[in-house]
Structure formats: C-alpha cells, structure tokens
C-alpha cells in the first residue's frame, strides 16, 4: 500500500523541487501531493521529476501554483463559493490555472477548500451581527462535553446564510467542471474544521446530486473530521455516510487534544481501524499531511504505523 507526502511538509524551508523530491524518497515516500506553496516557476521542474525520477505526483492542493501578487497565501485566499462576484471570479481563474498545472505534472485530483459561510446572529430587537462558532470554547468550558443546545443554535445561524454560498459555488461549478471533465481530473472538496466550513457533508451530497459529474468529488481529511466530531459538529460516521461513495482521497494526520492536528499517525487518538473501510477503498489517494515542524523521525514512525494498520487487513 503506497502513501504520498504533501510538499506542504517542507513549507518555509526554501528548498528546490529537486531537494524536496530527494528528501521525500529518503523519508520512504514515492508519491507526492503538490501543496499550495508551490511557485509558478517550479511547475516545469516537478514535471521533469515526475517523468525522470519515478516520483508520482498524484494530486495538487489548490491553489497551486500559488497566485502571484497576493498579500497573503493559503488555500482560502479565494473561494469558489464566495458570494462576492469579483472574488469568486478570481477563484475560478486560480482553479483553472491549478488545472493547467495538474495536467502538466500528471496529477489526477485537485484538492480544494470550498470556503466558510459568514454566519450572522439575529439581534434581540433588530438586525443581526457577524458570528463565529463557539463550539470549541464551549467544549473546553464544559470539560470535554458537547454543548448540544449551542450546536443546534449555530446550525440555525448557518443554514439561514448558507444558500448564498450554495448559489455561488453552483455558478463556479457550471463554469469549471467542463474543463475538469475534458482533462480527466477530479475537483475534490475537502472537509474543513470549523462549523462555518462549506460545503458540509450534506451540502456536498447535494452538489454531487446536482452535478453528477465524474469530475466532482470529495476529499476526507482525517484530522479535520476528528476535530469536527469532537465538538459535536458532524460525527465521522455521518460525514462518511454522505460522502463515502464520492471520496477520492484522504489527508492522513492525527489529532492530540482538541485541536492540535497535523501530527503523525499514532501520536494522537484517531481510531484508524474504524476508518479502514475508507482507507481500503479502491483507487483512493492516501496523502500524509504533517505539520512542517514534525521531526522526520516521528514522520517515519507515523508512516510505519499506517503501514502496519494496512498490513493487518
């Protein structure tokens, strides 16, 4: 069973693609996912490495290459679900550039963050005000218990606004999916931590029903799924009930405590045996996404841990 390593592990090291490829192989991986820190002038080098060094590039994490001239970087610098038209148009341009890069390097999937619903809290007498989820804070305050009433209240805040994001992402998919279909590449939306994350599993299932294209898929991030489940936001089994059939890949990392994710498998409390039906899925891309600060020895231990889990099957 082969695993890939996200090049985001090397973020901040200012290494060349050649140096990253060499270190990736030394760590025990023969496949990579190009992270969103990949620069425009590095794409041709990655194409050569994929061709000459037997280092398969399976996936890209949007936006890759990173958009030029941005004041900040990250996978949510743009959103295909942004209700603001100019921002959504920028996201469309950036994802189509990512598609060009995926074709160049031979990747099969582009992993994408959908965005975050801007929730609003109704006022007692008039108007409303911006609201950020309080589930994590409530979980800590209650000593590790879920505030069920808060979950339901926040669900109402979210549902009243989410349709704007659903409309926007539908416009984007109408525009970009024909290009993905022509290229034979899947656009896969990742489950994100936080109650505001969009699309949630039910919304992802709705999108797949609305756009029954082989070019639209889901990506399950194990650490994110664990974090959401712990605070009462989408239990893992419920998430997979909606998305299992369309899931084309996973990000593999563990969670320590409530929110310290992107740790090596085996360091935290994720139940990987429970996830075996997904991890064994045919054609699934299995990508390690560790924190850049994770020691290499710990990453090797995490790889051996996952290889041991899969060997039990």
């Amino acid at each position: 069973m082969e695993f890939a390593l996200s090049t985001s592990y090397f973020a901040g090291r200012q290494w060349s693609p050649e140096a990253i490829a060499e270190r990736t192989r030394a760590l025990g991986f023969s496949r990579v996912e190009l992270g969103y820190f990949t620069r425009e002038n590095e794409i041709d080098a990655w194409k050569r490495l994929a061709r000459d060094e037997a280092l398969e590039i399976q996936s890209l994490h949007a936006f890759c290459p990173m958009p030029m001239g941005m004041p900040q970087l990250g996978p949510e610098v743009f959103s295909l679900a942004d209700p603001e038209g100019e921002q959504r148009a920028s996201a469309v341009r950036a994802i189509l550039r990512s598609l060009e890069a995926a074709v160049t390097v031979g990747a099969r999937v582009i992993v994408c963050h959908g965005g975050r619903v801007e929730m609003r809290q109704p006022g007692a007498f008039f108007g409303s005000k911006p609201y950020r989820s309080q589930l994590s804070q409530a979980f800590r305050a209650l000593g590790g218990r879920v505030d069920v009433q808060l979950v339901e209240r926040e669900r109402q805040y979210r549902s009243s606004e989410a349709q704007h994001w659903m409309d926007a992402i539908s416009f984007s998919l109408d525009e970009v999916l024909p290009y993905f279909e022509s290229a034979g590449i899947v656009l896969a939306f990742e489950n994100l931590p936080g109650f505001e994350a969009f699309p949630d599993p039910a919304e992802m299932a709705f999108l797949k029903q609305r756009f029954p294209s082989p070019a639209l898929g889901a990506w399950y991030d194990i650490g994110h799924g664990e974090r959401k489940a712990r605070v009462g936001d989408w239990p893992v089994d419920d998430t997979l009930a909606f998305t299992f059939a369309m899931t084309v890949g996973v990000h593999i990392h563990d969670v320590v405590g409530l929110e310290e994710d992107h740790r090596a498998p085996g360091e935290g409390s994720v139940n990987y045996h429970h996830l075996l039906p997904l991890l064994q899925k045919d054609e699934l891309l299995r990508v390690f996404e560790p924190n850049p600060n994770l020691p290499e020895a710990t990453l090797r231990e995490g790889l051996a841990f996952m290889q041991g889990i899969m060997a039990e099957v």
Side-chain angles (χ1 to χ4, degrees):
M1 183 79 57
E2 293 291 333
F3 296 93
L5 177 63
S6 169
T7 62
S8 64
Y9 178 59
F10 303 97
R13 304 192 195 188
Q14 304 299 318
W15 287 7
S16 68
E18 290 79 8
I20 291 174
E22 180 180 359
R23 201 71 204 142
T24 297
R25 289 192 296 271
L27 287 167
F29 298 89
S30 60
R31 301 175 179 181
V32 297
E33 174 179 285
L34 294 188
Y36 49 82
F37 290 103
T38 305
R39 295 177 173 81
E40 181 78 40
N41 61 7
E42 295 174 338
I43 295 298
D44 286 342
W46 281 112
K47 178 183 178 180
R48 290 193 300 272
L49 288 164
R51 182 187 62 218
D52 300 336
E53 302 295 332
L55 187 72
E56 182 181 355
I57 300 174
Q58 295 187 313
S59 52
L60 271 63
H61 197 309
F63 298 97
C64 173
M66 58 185 182
M68 301 294 290
M70 295 304 302
Q72 60 182 5
L73 300 175
E76 295 170 38
V77 65
F78 299 124
S79 169
L80 291 169
D82 196 320
E84 202 284 305
E86 185 175 341
Q87 290 298 309
R88 189 183 66 79
S90 296
V92 166
R93 289 192 293 270
I95 202 66
L96 291 178
R97 177 62 191 105
S98 295
L99 178 61
E100 292 176 8
V103 171
T104 297
V105 301
R108 292 187 280 151
V109 176
I110 294 178
V111 187
C112 188
H113 290 191
R116 296 182 184 275
V117 174
E118 295 178 3
M119 297 195 297
R120 300 191 68 84
Q121 182 181 29
F125 300 102
F126 56 88
S128 63
K129 60 182 180 180
Y131 178 86
R132 295 292 300 272
S133 176
Q134 303 296 310
L135 291 185
S136 294
Q137 295 91 321
F139 186 85
R140 293 190 187 94
L142 293 173
R145 290 188 294 108
V146 173
D147 188 331
V148 177
Q149 292 182 333
L150 180 62
V151 171
E152 291 306 313
R153 189 160 63 248
E154 291 193 355
R155 203 171 298 283
Q156 293 175 12
Y157 298 164
R158 189 186 183 284
S159 63
S160 65
E161 301 293 330
Q163 188 60 48
H164 302 303
W165 272 257
M166 182 62 73
D167 292 342
I169 202 171
S170 296
F171 287 134
S172 295
L173 292 176
D174 272 329
E175 189 169 352
V176 305
L177 278 182
Y179 294 99
F180 277 80
E181 290 168 353
S182 178
I185 292 173
V186 177
L187 175 61
F189 287 98
E190 179 180 354
N191 61 315
L192 303 175
F195 204 80
E196 298 89 346
F198 181 88
D200 70 18
E203 291 160 345
M204 189 67 234
F206 175 82
L207 284 171
K208 185 63 174 178
Q209 184 178 29
R210 186 171 184 177
F211 298 94
S213 167
L216 177 63
W219 188 278
Y220 187 72
D221 185 294
I222 291 174
H224 295 170
E226 184 72 12
R227 286 178 56 185
K228 290 173 76 68
R230 291 181 185 183
V231 298
D233 175 17
W234 284 101
V236 171
D237 287 346
D238 291 356
T239 296
L240 295 179
F242 277 105
T243 62
F244 184 94
M246 70 182 94
T247 298
V248 296
V250 294
H251 279 149
I252 300 170
H253 54 101
D254 217 322
V255 182
V256 175
L258 177 60
E259 295 181 311
E260 190 179 344
D261 57 5
H262 296 279
R263 299 289 291 267
E267 281 195 293
S269 53
V270 169
N271 185 348
Y272 290 96
H273 289 91
H274 186 71
L275 293 170
L276 279 174
L278 175 64
L279 291 168
Q280 296 176 79
K281 189 177 177 183
D282 290 342
E283 303 300 319
L284 186 80
L285 304 188
R286 305 166 185 87
V287 181
F288 273 61
E289 195 182 45
N291 187 297
N293 295 323
L294 191 76
E296 290 187 355
T298 306
L299 177 55
R300 288 192 180 94
E301 291 171 1
L303 176 59
F305 176 86
M306 286 304 303
Q307 289 170 333
I309 294 275
M310 301 304 294
E312 295 175 10
V313 179

